[in-house]
Amino acid sequence: MRRSASLQTLLFYGLSGPIIALNVGLLSILFNYFKHPITIVSVAAILAFLLNYPVKFFERARITRTQAVIIVLLVTLTLFVILGVTLVPIVIDQTIQLLNKIPDWLTASQTNLEQLEAFAQKRRLPLDLRVLSNQINASIQNIVQQLASGAVGVAGTLLSGLLNIVLVVVLAFYMLLYGDRVWLGLINLLPSHIGVPLTVSLQLNFQRFFLSQLLLGLFMVVTLTPIFIVMKAPFALLFAIVIGISELIPFIGATLGIGLVTILVMLQNGWLGVQVAIAAMIMQQIKDNLLAPKLLGDFIGLNPIWIFISILIGFEIAGLLGTLVAVPIAGTIKGTFDAIKTNKGGNFVSPFTISHDSPEDRIN
């Protein structure tokens, strides 16, 4: 009996690795094949998750769900139009100016490195920065070329982008209205002891995660913009938005955003780049230690190592979209398995609407 049990355990752990690798490869192939519809559905689902909170607020005021959804979507579209008219042109203008000024900054940084190397040679210090300078210049020039080509591509596909936005909004509208019915139909295919905790974990990880990340990113943009303006940092609004958007990528996004902005500012002024990095890191610590625990809590419960691994796997499968949804998906899987192990199914809560029925009524 012991040999049989140990053999089963060995087979289980021995085959689980290849099976997981095979499934990851299949997911990557499927995503590449259905990339556009999967992206549209995923973005629409995230938007529906976020808008479900204000929809619930209006429902408490005894407004029908259809009316609440229409009101929330109209308000959201109005805000997007306002941002598109006021903020987006400024960001585009600063981006174009940044791309035009980077060659001059590269020349200035090359001069600064040569002066530093000459200073070291006078004092007989073994400092050779030529290789580092060439590598930095080549890397940044490559980034500029990619950004420029990307900007041309975006400009050339503007009509397609607007069509995608319309599809996302329309799909999010129907998800808010009928998403619970679709989800209930899918959940009915699973046993109740799996479907119920899966639903609860999905709502907890996706809704709360994306709302929290959005608020934390907004905090970084709102606080860093005036700080950068006071410090007279170039392109203050653009750099603050870059750091805020990078906040959407958990665990490593903010660090990457701050590092990129610091390098760009240091090309123009080394000391100013250090000041920008210090200010951004201070606000990041305030965000991580004061705001994030209150917004996020420990609802994901993942070890940082697993978070990093899930982000890498998500990027490998679906690129940027994969990095955004990797952590909540991993948290949903972990929460579901934990609930199954402890035999705590929880109450059924639709990811898109408010559920007033008992778990037995909704599942059965």
Side-chain angles (χ1 to χ4, degrees):
M1 294 294 293
R2 291 182 179 178
R3 290 183 178 179
S4 178
S6 62
L7 180 60
Q8 291 178 356
T9 304
L10 181 62
L11 288 175
F12 174 78
Y13 287 107
L15 294 176
S16 59
I19 291 175
I20 293 174
L22 178 61
N23 288 331
V24 170
L26 290 175
L27 286 175
S28 179
I29 294 174
L30 287 175
F31 179 82
N32 290 329
Y33 191 78
F34 300 102
K35 184 175 182 178
H36 185 260
I38 291 177
T39 302
I40 295 294
V41 172
S42 301
V43 175
I46 294 173
L47 181 62
F49 276 130
L50 295 175
L51 296 182
N52 194 44
Y53 284 97
V55 168
K56 289 181 179 179
F57 173 79
F58 282 106
E59 280 189 301
R60 294 191 188 101
R62 296 182 180 180
I63 297 177
T64 64
R65 184 166 183 86
T66 301
Q67 294 174 339
V69 170
I70 293 175
I71 293 173
V72 170
L73 282 179
L74 289 176
V75 172
T76 303
L77 290 176
T78 302
L79 292 176
F80 277 125
V81 170
I82 294 174
L83 290 176
V85 174
T86 59
L87 190 62
V88 173
I90 298 176
V91 174
I92 293 176
D93 180 63
Q94 289 193 1
T95 302
I96 295 174
Q97 293 183 30
L98 174 63
L99 295 177
N100 291 331
K101 286 191 174 183
I102 281 183
D104 297 332
W105 289 1
L106 290 174
T107 303
S109 66
Q110 183 75 26
T111 303
N112 293 333
L113 288 177
E114 291 176 355
Q115 293 176 353
L116 179 60
E117 187 175 357
F119 176 82
Q121 289 177 353
K122 288 181 180 180
R123 285 156 179 77
R124 298 180 179 179
L125 297 176
L127 184 63
D128 188 0
L129 300 176
R130 286 175 295 180
V131 177
L132 176 62
S133 175
N134 294 333
Q135 289 179 349
I136 292 176
N137 289 341
S139 300
I140 295 179
Q141 287 175 353
N142 185 30
I143 293 174
V144 172
Q145 291 175 357
Q146 292 179 358
L147 290 175
S149 61
V152 173
V154 170
T157 58
L158 180 60
L159 182 60
S160 176
L162 293 175
L163 178 60
N164 291 335
I165 292 175
V166 173
L167 291 175
V168 167
V169 173
V170 172
L171 186 56
F173 172 78
Y174 284 107
M175 282 184 174
L176 286 169
L177 289 180
Y178 308 111
D180 59 335
R181 302 179 187 179
V182 176
W183 183 254
L184 183 59
L186 295 175
I187 288 299
N188 281 332
L189 301 175
L190 301 174
S192 60
H193 70 282
I194 298 178
V196 172
L198 175 62
T199 302
V200 176
S201 182
L202 181 72
Q203 184 195 43
L204 181 63
N205 283 277
F206 268 82
Q207 281 189 338
R208 192 172 172 185
F209 175 82
F210 281 109
L211 180 62
S212 300
Q213 292 298 112
L214 187 64
L215 292 176
L216 293 175
L218 184 61
F219 168 79
M220 295 295 286
V221 174
V222 172
T223 55
L224 288 178
T225 299
I227 292 175
F228 288 170
I229 292 175
V230 172
M231 296 171 60
K232 296 182 179 180
F235 312 110
L237 177 61
L238 176 62
F239 287 159
I241 291 177
V242 168
I243 295 176
I245 292 177
S246 65
E247 186 66 40
L248 298 177
I249 302 175
F251 194 61
I252 60 174
T255 303
L256 294 176
I258 293 174
L260 175 61
V261 169
T262 301
I263 292 174
L264 291 175
V265 177
M266 290 184 70
L267 290 177
Q268 183 195 28
N269 188 321
W271 173 238
L272 180 60
V274 173
Q275 292 177 331
V276 166
I278 293 174
M281 287 188 292
I282 290 175
M283 299 313 301
Q284 183 186 14
Q285 291 301 313
I286 294 175
K287 181 243 332 160
D288 290 340
N289 296 301
L290 296 180
L291 296 180
K294 294 181 180 179
L295 291 175
L296 291 169
D298 192 29
F299 72 96
I300 292 180
L302 287 175
N303 187 291
I305 296 177
W306 292 116
I307 292 178
F308 188 76
I309 292 175
S310 64
I311 292 175
L312 292 178
I313 295 176
F315 180 78
E316 185 66 26
I317 295 175
L320 180 59
L321 179 62
T323 61
L324 295 178
V325 301
V327 174
I329 288 178
T332 299
I333 296 173
K334 180 182 183 299
T336 303
F337 277 103
D338 289 345
I340 294 173
K341 287 181 180 179
T342 56
N343 294 321
K344 293 180 180 180
N347 296 323
F348 178 87
V349 183
S350 168
F352 302 103
T353 62
I354 301 174
S355 174
H356 301 286
D357 300 331
S358 64
E360 292 78 15
D361 293 335
R362 295 302 300 266
I363 297 298
N364 298 327

